[in-house]
Amino acid sequence: KIERLQKLEQTMQSILSQKQGFQTQVAEVENALREVKKTKSNPFRLVGGIMVESSKESVKKDLSSKSYRVIF
């Protein structure tokens, strides 16, 4: 019984760790979306280690899609 309880605790810790990671990702995406909405100029994104200017709509769409994938 103790081994089973320890296994369940490990599983719970793993799930909580994953949840924290997802929450962090969602917060980062939400912050990025807020910053993109505030800026008047086109934002930049990293593509293969190079910063490339992109349209606001394109970046908003990609960030929203990324947030949706993290949540679901």
Side-chain angles (χ1 to χ4, degrees):
K1 288 185 177 184
I2 292 175
E3 288 176 13
R4 187 164 192 274
L5 180 59
Q6 288 173 333
K7 182 76 169 166
L8 287 172
E9 279 184 342
Q10 288 175 345
T11 302
M12 186 176 76
Q13 287 295 338
S14 176
I15 290 169
L16 288 174
S17 178
Q18 288 177 351
K19 179 183 174 187
Q20 268 186 320
F22 292 141
Q23 288 173 328
T24 300
Q25 288 179 10
V26 169
E28 288 174 357
V29 168
E30 288 173 348
N31 287 336
L33 275 169
R34 268 195 302 278
E35 292 301 318
V36 167
K37 288 177 183 175
K38 285 195 301 189
T39 186
K40 292 179 175 34
S41 59
N42 284 335
F44 288 79
R45 70 172 77 211
L46 281 175
V47 178
I50 299 171
M51 292 186 75
V52 178
E53 186 174 14
S54 301
S55 72
K56 285 176 78 168
E57 292 308 312
S58 171
V59 172
K60 281 192 228 177
K61 181 180 173 185
D62 288 349
L63 287 171
S64 295
S65 173
K66 184 176 182 180
S67 179
Y68 179 82
R69 286 192 309 264
V70 169
I71 292 171
F72 298 104

